[in-house]
mmCIF file with all atom_site columns, all heavy atoms in Angstrom:
data_model
loop_
_atom_site.group_PDB
_atom_site.id
_atom_site.type_symbol
_atom_site.label_atom_id
_atom_site.label_alt_id
_atom_site.label_comp_id
_atom_site.label_asym_id
_atom_site.label_entity_id
_atom_site.label_seq_id
_atom_site.pdbx_PDB_ins_code
_atom_site.Cartn_x
_atom_site.Cartn_y
_atom_site.Cartn_z
_atom_site.occupancy
_atom_site.B_iso_or_equiv
_atom_site.pdbx_formal_charge
_atom_site.auth_seq_id
_atom_site.auth_comp_id
_atom_site.auth_asym_id
_atom_site.auth_atom_id
_atom_site.pdbx_PDB_model_num
ATOM 1   N N   . ILE A 1 346 ? -4.559  -9.953  -20.252 1.00 0.00 ? 1598 ILE A N   1
ATOM 2   C CA  . ILE A 1 346 ? -5.098  -10.571 -19.015 1.00 0.00 ? 1598 ILE A CA  1
ATOM 3   C C   . ILE A 1 346 ? -6.607  -10.832 -19.116 1.00 0.00 ? 1598 ILE A C   1
ATOM 4   O O   . ILE A 1 346 ? -7.177  -11.356 -18.146 1.00 0.00 ? 1598 ILE A O   1
ATOM 5   C CB  . ILE A 1 346 ? -4.830  -9.840  -17.756 1.00 0.00 ? 1598 ILE A CB  1
ATOM 6   C CG1 . ILE A 1 346 ? -5.368  -8.342  -17.724 1.00 0.00 ? 1598 ILE A CG1 1
ATOM 7   C CG2 . ILE A 1 346 ? -3.220  -9.781  -17.486 1.00 0.00 ? 1598 ILE A CG2 1
ATOM 8   C CD1 . ILE A 1 346 ? -5.068  -7.604  -16.448 1.00 0.00 ? 1598 ILE A CD1 1
ATOM 9   N N   . LYS A 1 347 ? -7.247  -10.530 -20.226 1.00 0.00 ? 1599 LYS A N   1
ATOM 10  C CA  . LYS A 1 347 ? -8.632  -10.597 -20.377 1.00 0.00 ? 1599 LYS A CA  1
ATOM 11  C C   . LYS A 1 347 ? -8.994  -12.045 -20.302 1.00 0.00 ? 1599 LYS A C   1
ATOM 12  O O   . LYS A 1 347 ? -8.512  -12.891 -21.007 1.00 0.00 ? 1599 LYS A O   1
ATOM 13  C CB  . LYS A 1 347 ? -9.189  -9.910  -21.512 1.00 0.00 ? 1599 LYS A CB  1
ATOM 14  C CG  . LYS A 1 347 ? -10.713 -9.692  -21.624 1.00 0.00 ? 1599 LYS A CG  1
ATOM 15  C CD  . LYS A 1 347 ? -11.071 -8.985  -22.969 1.00 0.00 ? 1599 LYS A CD  1
ATOM 16  C CE  . LYS A 1 347 ? -10.710 -7.583  -22.957 1.00 0.00 ? 1599 LYS A CE  1
ATOM 17  N NZ  . LYS A 1 347 ? -11.113 -6.885  -24.171 1.00 0.00 ? 1599 LYS A NZ  1
ATOM 18  N N   . HIS A 1 348 ? -10.152 -12.395 -19.571 1.00 0.00 ? 1600 HIS A N   1
ATOM 19  C CA  . HIS A 1 348 ? -10.632 -13.766 -19.521 1.00 0.00 ? 1600 HIS A CA  1
ATOM 20  C C   . HIS A 1 348 ? -12.137 -13.660 -19.535 1.00 0.00 ? 1600 HIS A C   1
ATOM 21  O O   . HIS A 1 348 ? -12.797 -12.879 -18.839 1.00 0.00 ? 1600 HIS A O   1
ATOM 22  C CB  . HIS A 1 348 ? -10.158 -14.538 -18.430 1.00 0.00 ? 1600 HIS A CB  1
ATOM 23  C CG  . HIS A 1 348 ? -10.631 -15.986 -18.327 1.00 0.00 ? 1600 HIS A CG  1
ATOM 24  N ND1 . HIS A 1 348 ? -10.125 -17.061 -19.008 1.00 0.00 ? 1600 HIS A ND1 1
ATOM 25  C CD2 . HIS A 1 348 ? -11.710 -16.467 -17.745 1.00 0.00 ? 1600 HIS A CD2 1
ATOM 26  C CE1 . HIS A 1 348 ? -10.748 -18.105 -18.889 1.00 0.00 ? 1600 HIS A CE1 1
ATOM 27  N NE2 . HIS A 1 348 ? -11.779 -17.794 -18.071 1.00 0.00 ? 1600 HIS A NE2 1
ATOM 28  N N   . HIS A 1 349 ? -12.884 -14.528 -20.317 1.00 0.00 ? 1601 HIS A N   1
ATOM 29  C CA  . HIS A 1 349 ? -14.393 -14.350 -20.413 1.00 0.00 ? 1601 HIS A CA  1
ATOM 30  C C   . HIS A 1 349 ? -14.987 -15.569 -19.727 1.00 0.00 ? 1601 HIS A C   1
ATOM 31  O O   . HIS A 1 349 ? -14.549 -16.661 -19.846 1.00 0.00 ? 1601 HIS A O   1
ATOM 32  C CB  . HIS A 1 349 ? -14.756 -14.238 -21.910 1.00 0.00 ? 1601 HIS A CB  1
ATOM 33  C CG  . HIS A 1 349 ? -14.213 -13.113 -22.654 1.00 0.00 ? 1601 HIS A CG  1
ATOM 34  N ND1 . HIS A 1 349 ? -14.836 -11.897 -22.406 1.00 0.00 ? 1601 HIS A ND1 1
ATOM 35  C CD2 . HIS A 1 349 ? -13.254 -13.031 -23.637 1.00 0.00 ? 1601 HIS A CD2 1
ATOM 36  C CE1 . HIS A 1 349 ? -14.262 -11.066 -23.151 1.00 0.00 ? 1601 HIS A CE1 1
ATOM 37  N NE2 . HIS A 1 349 ? -13.359 -11.670 -23.859 1.00 0.00 ? 1601 HIS A NE2 1
ATOM 38  N N   . ALA A 1 350 ? -16.090 -15.176 -18.943 1.00 0.00 ? 1602 ALA A N   1
ATOM 39  C CA  . ALA A 1 350 ? -16.994 -16.195 -18.453 1.00 0.00 ? 1602 ALA A CA  1
ATOM 40  C C   . ALA A 1 350 ? -18.417 -15.782 -18.823 1.00 0.00 ? 1602 ALA A C   1
ATOM 41  O O   . ALA A 1 350 ? -18.815 -14.633 -18.666 1.00 0.00 ? 1602 ALA A O   1
ATOM 42  C CB  . ALA A 1 350 ? -16.923 -16.205 -16.880 1.00 0.00 ? 1602 ALA A CB  1
ATOM 43  N N   . ASP A 1 351 ? -19.081 -16.812 -19.383 1.00 0.00 ? 1603 ASP A N   1
ATOM 44  C CA  . ASP A 1 351 ? -20.413 -16.584 -19.959 1.00 0.00 ? 1603 ASP A CA  1
ATOM 45  C C   . ASP A 1 351 ? -21.406 -16.024 -18.860 1.00 0.00 ? 1603 ASP A C   1
ATOM 46  O O   . ASP A 1 351 ? -22.397 -15.234 -19.243 1.00 0.00 ? 1603 ASP A O   1
ATOM 47  C CB  . ASP A 1 351 ? -21.079 -17.943 -20.412 1.00 0.00 ? 1603 ASP A CB  1
ATOM 48  C CG  . ASP A 1 351 ? -20.360 -18.293 -21.752 1.00 0.00 ? 1603 ASP A CG  1
ATOM 49  O OD1 . ASP A 1 351 ? -19.735 -17.451 -22.319 1.00 0.00 ? 1603 ASP A OD1 1
ATOM 50  O OD2 . ASP A 1 351 ? -20.360 -19.622 -22.059 1.00 0.00 ? 1603 ASP A OD2 1
ATOM 51  N N   . TYR A 1 352 ? -21.247 -16.219 -17.627 1.00 0.00 ? 1604 TYR A N   1
ATOM 52  C CA  . TYR A 1 352 ? -22.106 -15.751 -16.660 1.00 0.00 ? 1604 TYR A CA  1
ATOM 53  C C   . TYR A 1 352 ? -21.780 -14.375 -16.104 1.00 0.00 ? 1604 TYR A C   1
ATOM 54  O O   . TYR A 1 352 ? -22.556 -13.761 -15.274 1.00 0.00 ? 1604 TYR A O   1
ATOM 55  C CB  . TYR A 1 352 ? -22.163 -16.724 -15.454 1.00 0.00 ? 1604 TYR A CB  1
ATOM 56  C CG  . TYR A 1 352 ? -20.903 -16.939 -14.764 1.00 0.00 ? 1604 TYR A CG  1
ATOM 57  C CD1 . TYR A 1 352 ? -20.338 -16.111 -13.833 1.00 0.00 ? 1604 TYR A CD1 1
ATOM 58  C CD2 . TYR A 1 352 ? -20.165 -18.254 -15.124 1.00 0.00 ? 1604 TYR A CD2 1
ATOM 59  C CE1 . TYR A 1 352 ? -19.122 -16.433 -13.299 1.00 0.00 ? 1604 TYR A CE1 1
ATOM 60  C CE2 . TYR A 1 352 ? -18.905 -18.443 -14.594 1.00 0.00 ? 1604 TYR A CE2 1
ATOM 61  C CZ  . TYR A 1 352 ? -18.419 -17.515 -13.636 1.00 0.00 ? 1604 TYR A CZ  1
ATOM 62  O OH  . TYR A 1 352 ? -17.210 -17.876 -13.075 1.00 0.00 ? 1604 TYR A OH  1
ATOM 63  N N   . LEU A 1 353 ? -20.666 -13.830 -16.648 1.00 0.00 ? 1605 LEU A N   1
ATOM 64  C CA  . LEU A 1 353 ? -20.162 -12.533 -16.156 1.00 0.00 ? 1605 LEU A CA  1
ATOM 65  C C   . LEU A 1 353 ? -19.772 -11.659 -17.100 1.00 0.00 ? 1605 LEU A C   1
ATOM 66  O O   . LEU A 1 353 ? -20.392 -10.373 -17.178 1.00 0.00 ? 1605 LEU A O   1
ATOM 67  C CB  . LEU A 1 353 ? -19.044 -12.880 -15.043 1.00 0.00 ? 1605 LEU A CB  1
ATOM 68  C CG  . LEU A 1 353 ? -18.549 -11.766 -14.215 1.00 0.00 ? 1605 LEU A CG  1
ATOM 69  C CD1 . LEU A 1 353 ? -19.751 -11.350 -13.136 1.00 0.00 ? 1605 LEU A CD1 1
ATOM 70  C CD2 . LEU A 1 353 ? -17.297 -12.103 -13.382 1.00 0.00 ? 1605 LEU A CD2 1
ATOM 71  N N   . ASN A 1 354 ? -18.921 -11.918 -17.915 1.00 0.00 ? 1606 ASN A N   1
ATOM 72  C CA  . ASN A 1 354 ? -18.403 -11.087 -19.099 1.00 0.00 ? 1606 ASN A CA  1
ATOM 73  C C   . ASN A 1 354 ? -18.240 -11.861 -20.412 1.00 0.00 ? 1606 ASN A C   1
ATOM 74  O O   . ASN A 1 354 ? -17.047 -12.100 -20.729 1.00 0.00 ? 1606 ASN A O   1
ATOM 75  C CB  . ASN A 1 354 ? -17.078 -10.396 -18.656 1.00 0.00 ? 1606 ASN A CB  1
ATOM 76  C CG  . ASN A 1 354 ? -15.919 -11.342 -18.367 1.00 0.00 ? 1606 ASN A CG  1
ATOM 77  O OD1 . ASN A 1 354 ? -16.185 -12.556 -17.958 1.00 0.00 ? 1606 ASN A OD1 1
ATOM 78  N ND2 . ASN A 1 354 ? -14.741 -10.907 -18.608 1.00 0.00 ? 1606 ASN A ND2 1
ATOM 79  N N   . PRO A 1 355 ? -19.325 -12.261 -20.949 1.00 0.00 ? 1607 PRO A N   1
ATOM 80  C CA  . PRO A 1 355 ? -19.281 -13.160 -22.159 1.00 0.00 ? 1607 PRO A CA  1
ATOM 81  C C   . PRO A 1 355 ? -18.492 -12.424 -23.225 1.00 0.00 ? 1607 PRO A C   1
ATOM 82  O O   . PRO A 1 355 ? -18.461 -11.129 -23.478 1.00 0.00 ? 1607 PRO A O   1
ATOM 83  C CB  . PRO A 1 355 ? -20.690 -13.332 -22.635 1.00 0.00 ? 1607 PRO A CB  1
ATOM 84  C CG  . PRO A 1 355 ? -21.347 -12.221 -21.872 1.00 0.00 ? 1607 PRO A CG  1
ATOM 85  C CD  . PRO A 1 355 ? -20.805 -11.885 -20.536 1.00 0.00 ? 1607 PRO A CD  1
ATOM 86  N N   . LYS A 1 356 ? -17.895 -13.278 -24.228 1.00 0.00 ? 1608 LYS A N   1
ATOM 87  C CA  . LYS A 1 356 ? -17.018 -12.744 -25.244 1.00 0.00 ? 1608 LYS A CA  1
ATOM 88  C C   . LYS A 1 356 ? -17.669 -11.851 -26.167 1.00 0.00 ? 1608 LYS A C   1
ATOM 89  O O   . LYS A 1 356 ? -17.219 -10.852 -26.802 1.00 0.00 ? 1608 LYS A O   1
ATOM 90  C CB  . LYS A 1 356 ? -16.319 -13.930 -25.955 1.00 0.00 ? 1608 LYS A CB  1
ATOM 91  C CG  . LYS A 1 356 ? -15.216 -13.605 -26.814 1.00 0.00 ? 1608 LYS A CG  1
ATOM 92  C CD  . LYS A 1 356 ? -14.519 -14.871 -27.328 1.00 0.00 ? 1608 LYS A CD  1
ATOM 93  C CE  . LYS A 1 356 ? -13.264 -14.548 -28.099 1.00 0.00 ? 1608 LYS A CE  1
ATOM 94  N NZ  . LYS A 1 356 ? -12.446 -15.713 -28.579 1.00 0.00 ? 1608 LYS A NZ  1
ATOM 95  N N   . GLU A 1 357 ? -18.954 -12.137 -26.499 1.00 0.00 ? 1609 GLU A N   1
ATOM 96  C CA  . GLU A 1 357 ? -19.801 -11.436 -27.477 1.00 0.00 ? 1609 GLU A CA  1
ATOM 97  C C   . GLU A 1 357 ? -20.326 -10.013 -26.974 1.00 0.00 ? 1609 GLU A C   1
ATOM 98  O O   . GLU A 1 357 ? -20.789 -9.284  -27.812 1.00 0.00 ? 1609 GLU A O   1
ATOM 99  C CB  . GLU A 1 357 ? -20.815 -12.327 -27.977 1.00 0.00 ? 1609 GLU A CB  1
ATOM 100 C CG  . GLU A 1 357 ? -22.053 -12.608 -26.962 1.00 0.00 ? 1609 GLU A CG  1
ATOM 101 C CD  . GLU A 1 357 ? -21.701 -13.864 -26.081 1.00 0.00 ? 1609 GLU A CD  1
ATOM 102 O OE1 . GLU A 1 357 ? -20.589 -14.357 -26.180 1.00 0.00 ? 1609 GLU A OE1 1
ATOM 103 O OE2 . GLU A 1 357 ? -22.608 -14.239 -25.455 1.00 0.00 ? 1609 GLU A OE2 1
ATOM 104 N N   . GLN A 1 358 ? -20.035 -9.823  -25.765 1.00 0.00 ? 1610 GLN A N   1
ATOM 105 C CA  . GLN A 1 358 ? -20.675 -8.405  -25.170 1.00 0.00 ? 1610 GLN A CA  1
ATOM 106 C C   . GLN A 1 358 ? -19.843 -7.359  -25.844 1.00 0.00 ? 1610 GLN A C   1
ATOM 107 O O   . GLN A 1 358 ? -18.656 -7.285  -26.037 1.00 0.00 ? 1610 GLN A O   1
ATOM 108 C CB  . GLN A 1 358 ? -20.416 -8.495  -23.739 1.00 0.00 ? 1610 GLN A CB  1
ATOM 109 C CG  . GLN A 1 358 ? -21.127 -7.303  -22.994 1.00 0.00 ? 1610 GLN A CG  1
ATOM 110 C CD  . GLN A 1 358 ? -21.255 -7.460  -21.463 1.00 0.00 ? 1610 GLN A CD  1
ATOM 111 O OE1 . GLN A 1 358 ? -21.608 -8.494  -21.041 1.00 0.00 ? 1610 GLN A OE1 1
ATOM 112 N NE2 . GLN A 1 358 ? -20.629 -6.363  -20.801 1.00 0.00 ? 1610 GLN A NE2 1
ATOM 113 N N   . ASP A 1 359 ? -20.605 -6.191  -26.068 1.00 0.00 ? 1611 ASP A N   1
ATOM 114 C CA  . ASP A 1 359 ? -19.989 -4.978  -26.519 1.00 0.00 ? 1611 ASP A CA  1
ATOM 115 C C   . ASP A 1 359 ? -19.515 -4.161  -25.384 1.00 0.00 ? 1611 ASP A C   1
ATOM 116 O O   . ASP A 1 359 ? -20.344 -3.551  -24.748 1.00 0.00 ? 1611 ASP A O   1
ATOM 117 C CB  . ASP A 1 359 ? -20.973 -4.241  -27.429 1.00 0.00 ? 1611 ASP A CB  1
ATOM 118 C CG  . ASP A 1 359 ? -20.419 -2.848  -27.773 1.00 0.00 ? 1611 ASP A CG  1
ATOM 119 O OD1 . ASP A 1 359 ? -19.180 -2.539  -27.525 1.00 0.00 ? 1611 ASP A OD1 1
ATOM 120 O OD2 . ASP A 1 359 ? -20.984 -2.229  -28.789 1.00 0.00 ? 1611 ASP A OD2 1
ATOM 121 N N   . TYR A 1 360 ? -18.221 -4.219  -25.074 1.00 0.00 ? 1612 TYR A N   1
ATOM 122 C CA  . TYR A 1 360 ? -17.620 -3.620  -23.936 1.00 0.00 ? 1612 TYR A CA  1
ATOM 123 C C   . TYR A 1 360 ? -17.493 -2.111  -23.889 1.00 0.00 ? 1612 TYR A C   1
ATOM 124 O O   . TYR A 1 360 ? -17.212 -1.423  -22.877 1.00 0.00 ? 1612 TYR A O   1
ATOM 125 C CB  . TYR A 1 360 ? -16.299 -4.272  -23.429 1.00 0.00 ? 1612 TYR A CB  1
ATOM 126 C CG  . TYR A 1 360 ? -16.706 -5.641  -22.951 1.00 0.00 ? 1612 TYR A CG  1
ATOM 127 C CD1 . TYR A 1 360 ? -16.414 -6.828  -23.705 1.00 0.00 ? 1612 TYR A CD1 1
ATOM 128 C CD2 . TYR A 1 360 ? -17.276 -5.950  -21.640 1.00 0.00 ? 1612 TYR A CD2 1
ATOM 129 C CE1 . TYR A 1 360 ? -16.855 -8.129  -23.255 1.00 0.00 ? 1612 TYR A CE1 1
ATOM 130 C CE2 . TYR A 1 360 ? -17.615 -7.142  -21.257 1.00 0.00 ? 1612 TYR A CE2 1
ATOM 131 C CZ  . TYR A 1 360 ? -17.327 -8.244  -21.995 1.00 0.00 ? 1612 TYR A CZ  1
ATOM 132 O OH  . TYR A 1 360 ? -17.704 -9.538  -21.535 1.00 0.00 ? 1612 TYR A OH  1
ATOM 133 N N   . ASP A 1 361 ? -17.606 -1.585  -25.056 1.00 0.00 ? 1613 ASP A N   1
ATOM 134 C CA  . ASP A 1 361 ? -17.784 -0.061  -25.317 1.00 0.00 ? 1613 ASP A CA  1
ATOM 135 C C   . ASP A 1 361 ? -19.124 0.363   -24.854 1.00 0.00 ? 1613 ASP A C   1
ATOM 136 O O   . ASP A 1 361 ? -19.174 1.501   -24.122 1.00 0.00 ? 1613 ASP A O   1
ATOM 137 C CB  . ASP A 1 361 ? -17.474 0.298   -26.660 1.00 0.00 ? 1613 ASP A CB  1
ATOM 138 C CG  . ASP A 1 361 ? -16.003 0.060   -27.115 1.00 0.00 ? 1613 ASP A CG  1
ATOM 139 O OD1 . ASP A 1 361 ? -15.164 0.135   -26.215 1.00 0.00 ? 1613 ASP A OD1 1
ATOM 140 O OD2 . ASP A 1 361 ? -15.653 -0.184  -28.337 1.00 0.00 ? 1613 ASP A OD2 1
ATOM 141 N N   . ALA A 1 362 ? -20.134 -0.414  -25.091 1.00 0.00 ? 1614 ALA A N   1
ATOM 142 C CA  . ALA A 1 362 ? -21.491 0.061   -24.595 1.00 0.00 ? 1614 ALA A CA  1
ATOM 143 C C   . ALA A 1 362 ? -21.763 -0.447  -23.262 1.00 0.00 ? 1614 ALA A C   1
ATOM 144 O O   . ALA A 1 362 ? -22.438 0.185   -22.502 1.00 0.00 ? 1614 ALA A O   1
ATOM 145 C CB  . ALA A 1 362 ? -22.468 -0.608  -25.720 1.00 0.00 ? 1614 ALA A CB  1
ATOM 146 N N   . LEU A 1 363 ? -21.253 -1.519  -22.835 1.00 0.00 ? 1615 LEU A N   1
ATOM 147 C CA  . LEU A 1 363 ? -21.621 -2.138  -21.510 1.00 0.00 ? 1615 LEU A CA  1
ATOM 148 C C   . LEU A 1 363 ? -20.168 -2.559  -20.821 1.00 0.00 ? 1615 LEU A C   1
ATOM 149 O O   . LEU A 1 363 ? -19.896 -3.836  -20.960 1.00 0.00 ? 1615 LEU A O   1
ATOM 150 C CB  . LEU A 1 363 ? -22.600 -3.220  -21.584 1.00 0.00 ? 1615 LEU A CB  1
ATOM 151 C CG  . LEU A 1 363 ? -23.254 -3.677  -20.348 1.00 0.00 ? 1615 LEU A CG  1
ATOM 152 C CD1 . LEU A 1 363 ? -24.088 -2.522  -19.764 1.00 0.00 ? 1615 LEU A CD1 1
ATOM 153 C CD2 . LEU A 1 363 ? -24.065 -4.856  -20.631 1.00 0.00 ? 1615 LEU A CD2 1
ATOM 154 N N   . PRO A 1 364 ? -19.411 -1.739  -20.242 1.00 0.00 ? 1616 PRO A N   1
ATOM 155 C CA  . PRO A 1 364 ? -18.194 -2.006  -19.685 1.00 0.00 ? 1616 PRO A CA  1
ATOM 156 C C   . PRO A 1 364 ? -18.144 -2.926  -18.580 1.00 0.00 ? 1616 PRO A C   1
ATOM 157 O O   . PRO A 1 364 ? -19.133 -3.103  -17.847 1.00 0.00 ? 1616 PRO A O   1
ATOM 158 C CB  . PRO A 1 364 ? -17.577 -0.565  -19.390 1.00 0.00 ? 1616 PRO A CB  1
ATOM 159 C CG  . PRO A 1 364 ? -18.871 0.151   -19.028 1.00 0.00 ? 1616 PRO A CG  1
ATOM 160 C CD  . PRO A 1 364 ? -19.929 -0.234  -19.988 1.00 0.00 ? 1616 PRO A CD  1
#
Side-chain angles (χ1 to χ4, degrees):
I1598 61 175
K1599 190 182 294 184
H1600 180 85
H1601 294 286
D1603 288 338
Y1604 56 83
L1605 197 63
N1606 60 333
K1608 192 172 184 177
E1609 66 273 11
Q1610 183 170 313
D1611 181 351
Y1612 289 101
D1613 290 328
L1615 196 63

